[in-house]
Amino acid sequence: MVQFISFFVFTAFVAAFSTWKLRKDRLSTQDGYFLGGRSLTGIVIAGSLLLTNISTEHLVGMNGDSYKHGAIIVAWEVTSALALVAAALYFAPRYLKMGLTTIPEFLEKRFDGLTRTIIAFLLIVSFVSTLLPIVLYSGAVSIEQIFDISKLLGIQENQGLWLTVVVVGTIGAVYAIFGGLKMVVYTDTINGFGLLLAGISIPFLALWEIGDGHIWNGLQMVYDKVPEKFNVISDENSIGPGARDAIMPFGVLFTGLIINQLYFWTMHQSIIQRALGAINLKEAQKGLLFTGLLKILIPLIIVLPGIIAFYYFNEDFFDKKELVYPSLVKKVLPFWMTGFFVAVLMGAILSTFNSALNSAATIFSLGIYKRYLNKKAREKLLVRVGKSTSALLAFFAIGIAPFVAQAPQGLYQLLQQLNGIFFIPMATVILAGFFLPKVSATGAKVGLFFGLIFYITTNFILQVDVHYVHLWGVEFVLNILVMLLVSWQFPRINTFRITDVGAVELNQWRYAKSFSILLVILTLGIYVLLGNVG
């Protein structure tokens, strides 16, 4: 009973506080609903970015991977800091200067309306087919394991998962539909602090128990038992037999991972939309760079617990990796804290879920509905269309989520492989738009479809013996070549220059460059210090 009380108290507090903060906001306007009225500050942006990114697919999926493979998967996290430096120093100033609401808007300015529409459609498909279902399923697994929903209600476990998916998905949709971006970021900020507190408590409590009251001794005991698990550099093959089953070969850090991180942190709508809603460039840069620091620290929450779980449980203890983290939580967390912990988990699920819904609604309303279905649509109608879009996408995601259980290599690896279908082709087009002035609209579209076909064919149909992140790198280079060749035959005819539309103040944060240097040093330091342990 105690855990349910703490769950409802924290959840009710988040909802009540966010509603109170929004009481005077005008959510019927385009900027008010989709960009939080361009009023977001650095701390709010950082909190929302962290929780939009870190959800149960990280807590459950990455800890399951570290249980099996060790700390080599930290590359997904710590290299994000480098991409966030690029976002703060290069991309955010240009996005805010153009006054963008969505990334596809830039593609229309740089290429043409059809390129914008194709990218907008692909973004929406990627949300509903990959991110949303995986977030819902991984969250349902955690809540089912910790709260024993099926046992509590006297139903089968798969029925408990379905029920949890429906309830969580419905709550997330309500947040996104009725609150807009500002509701999302306020709930994110509170839940973000809760996630940091609850997340860090798991490894600390475990190490306290292992070390008999001394956390450092506990860490030393875990290290002494499995020192190889702390090595961040993998000697796995990235090409040849076994490459497809490798988790994170070191070589991929210098090929496709760079492109993936750049896309996600500088171009992905659900992420960069927080920076687009900043009150000025200074606050956008603060939010992005603070997030970079948090990403370097976040492996303590989403990697270390998996290694600790290996200390507690033998290697073959779990038949599914997604059971590792919930089992560790149940083992080390005091009973009275489980309600608060599940409330924070719920917040992490809702954050990523409703952020994706809000972004998809923004893209559809402004990029598809207004362009093709109702060019004279007023702001209030666009907001209503956005709400309807969120509801429809939530319905589809809830229906797909339980089938994610069939993932053979774990949730996080499944998410990344599916993301590669969309991320790399879109990244190529956007980067070409900024850095390759000779690429034409025709070249961009041909390169986009070539990338989609190339990756699906090589990774999912032919299943070549090359790690999928390496395939991203190969795909990126081929996409660029295709774009340049096609553009040579069909040259660019439009002109485009980035101009200041006066949306926000563009003064840089005085510490942006020095903070960026710090993040680069910390990222490199992790690989120097932990590259040869074990």
Side-chain angles (χ1 to χ4, degrees):
M1 188 65 182
V2 175
Q3 74 267 39
F4 286 101
I5 293 174
S6 59
F7 169 80
F8 286 115
V9 167
F10 184 76
T11 304
F13 167 73
V14 173
F17 178 80
S18 302
T19 303
W20 177 76
K21 290 289 289 184
L22 286 170
R23 68 193 186 284
K24 296 180 181 179
D25 283 44
R26 298 176 61 191
L27 297 178
S28 59
T29 66
Q30 178 177 311
D31 276 359
Y33 186 78
F34 296 122
L35 287 181
R38 294 190 187 272
S39 61
L40 306 182
T41 59
I43 294 297
V44 172
I45 292 170
S48 185
L49 280 174
L50 180 69
L51 215 61
T52 297
N53 173 233
I54 302 299
S55 189
T56 45
E57 83 278 8
H58 287 77
L59 289 168
V60 174
M62 291 194 73
N63 275 307
D65 284 338
S66 66
Y67 166 82
K68 186 74 174 177
H69 304 281
I72 55 176
I73 58 169
V74 298
W76 290 114
E77 299 307 305
V78 298
T79 59
S80 298
L82 304 181
L84 283 157
V85 168
L89 298 185
Y90 182 86
F91 290 94
R94 286 158 178 79
Y95 292 153
L96 293 176
K97 191 174 185 178
M98 289 184 277
L100 299 181
T101 303
T102 69
I103 298 304
E105 283 179 48
F106 163 71
L107 296 173
E108 180 175 19
K109 296 175 186 288
R110 171 60 176 84
F111 296 113
D112 59 16
L114 183 56
T115 305
R116 169 183 178 170
T117 302
I118 293 170
I119 293 291
F121 176 75
L122 290 175
L123 279 169
I124 294 171
V125 171
S126 72
F127 285 142
V128 76
S129 64
T130 59
L131 179 62
L132 292 175
I134 289 176
V135 167
L136 281 181
Y137 173 74
S138 59
V141 168
S142 297
I143 294 173
E144 161 67 26
Q145 286 291 312
I146 296 173
F147 263 177
D148 286 328
I149 300 293
S150 55
K151 188 179 296 184
L152 188 69
L153 299 178
I155 57 180
Q156 295 180 356
E157 186 173 330
N158 64 331
Q159 294 175 320
L161 285 173
W162 265 101
L163 178 63
T164 308
V165 163
V166 171
V167 171
V168 173
T170 302
I171 294 173
V174 169
Y175 269 109
I177 292 167
F178 294 103
L181 181 66
K182 206 161 188 178
M183 170 68 88
V184 172
V185 297
Y186 277 135
T187 56
D188 285 356
T189 303
I190 303 169
N191 283 317
F193 285 113
L195 176 66
L196 290 174
L197 177 63
I200 202 68
S201 70
I202 300 303
F204 277 18
L205 287 170
L207 294 175
W208 178 275
E209 179 182 290
I210 293 169
D212 196 21
H214 300 280
I215 293 174
W216 183 256
N217 289 347
L219 182 62
Q220 185 66 50
M221 291 174 67
V222 174
Y223 175 81
D224 289 342
K225 181 176 180 179
V226 283
E228 68 280 359
K229 294 283 186 183
F230 288 83
N231 196 325
V232 298
I233 296 180
S234 169
D235 58 358
E236 295 176 302
N237 292 327
S238 56
I239 300 175
R244 289 183 53 79
D245 297 325
I247 294 297
M248 183 55 64
F250 183 64
V252 303
L253 272 65
F254 307 100
T255 57
L257 189 63
I258 297 172
I259 311 303
N260 177 80
Q261 299 291 49
L262 270 178
Y263 172 79
F264 188 78
W265 291 105
T266 70
M267 308 169 209
H268 195 280
Q269 181 66 30
S270 70
I271 292 295
I272 207 65
Q273 191 167 335
R274 276 98 186 106
L276 299 180
I279 193 170
N280 53 43
L281 175 59
K282 184 186 300 184
E283 294 301 316
Q285 290 179 323
K286 286 181 184 178
L288 290 165
L289 294 173
F290 289 163
T291 305
L293 180 61
L294 291 172
K295 289 294 286 183
I296 290 174
L297 300 174
I298 211 69
L300 294 174
I301 295 174
I302 62 175
V303 175
L304 181 59
I307 299 174
I308 294 172
F310 190 89
Y311 177 91
Y312 276 118
F313 310 106
N314 63 56
E315 186 172 2
D316 301 318
F317 189 83
F318 299 102
D319 56 346
K320 291 184 178 180
K321 288 190 288 186
E322 55 260 37
L323 300 179
V324 172
Y325 188 68
S327 299
L328 180 67
V329 170
K330 289 184 72 173
K331 181 173 182 60
V332 304
L333 197 66
F335 181 75
W336 60 270
M337 280 187 65
T338 55
F340 167 69
F341 188 83
V342 173
V344 171
L345 274 184
M346 175 83 86
I349 302 163
L350 296 181
S351 171
T352 303
F353 186 75
N354 55 31
S355 297
L357 287 180
N358 183 266
S359 296
T362 305
I363 292 167
F364 179 80
S365 300
L366 304 181
I368 297 177
Y369 181 81
K370 190 173 183 179
R371 279 190 58 80
Y372 296 103
L373 302 177
N374 190 349
K375 294 182 179 181
K376 297 181 180 180
R378 296 184 177 182
E379 291 191 346
K380 287 186 178 180
L381 176 58
L382 290 174
V383 170
R384 289 203 300 271
V385 170
K387 292 179 178 180
S388 299
T389 303
S390 294
L392 185 62
L393 294 181
F395 175 79
F396 280 116
I398 290 170
I400 296 171
F403 299 102
V404 174
Q406 309 305 317
Q409 285 190 310
L411 295 176
Y412 196 74
Q413 296 302 312
L414 172 66
L415 177 63
Q416 295 300 341
Q417 290 204 40
L418 292 175
N419 280 342
I421 298 173
F422 307 100
F423 284 10
I424 308 304
M426 291 191 288
T428 309
V429 172
I430 298 169
L431 289 172
F434 277 110
F435 298 107
L436 297 175
K438 291 187 177 181
V439 171
S440 66
T442 303
K445 287 190 280 288
V446 173
L448 177 66
F449 285 111
F450 171 83
L452 289 169
I453 295 169
F454 172 84
Y455 180 69
I456 292 173
T457 302
T458 55
N459 192 61
F460 295 104
I461 299 176
L462 298 179
Q463 297 187 357
V464 297
D465 284 330
V466 178
H467 194 272
Y468 67 91
V469 179
H470 265 329
L471 286 177
W472 294 349
V474 174
E475 176 190 350
F476 176 76
V477 173
L478 293 177
N479 286 353
I480 294 293
L481 292 175
V482 168
M483 287 183 185
L484 290 173
L485 286 172
V486 174
S487 299
W488 179 60
Q489 289 291 322
F490 301 92
R492 177 181 172 184
I493 57 176
N494 67 322
T495 58
F496 166 73
R497 299 185 69 178
I498 295 176
T499 56
D500 186 359
V501 300
V504 296
E505 291 183 6
L506 295 173
N507 295 322
Q508 298 232 12
W509 182 34
R510 62 185 296 186
Y511 300 113
K513 291 183 178 178
S514 56
F515 204 106
S516 297
I517 293 171
L518 172 64
L519 292 181
V520 173
I521 292 172
L522 289 174
T523 302
L524 295 176
I526 288 173
Y527 279 91
V528 171
L529 292 175
L530 298 177
N532 294 303
V533 298

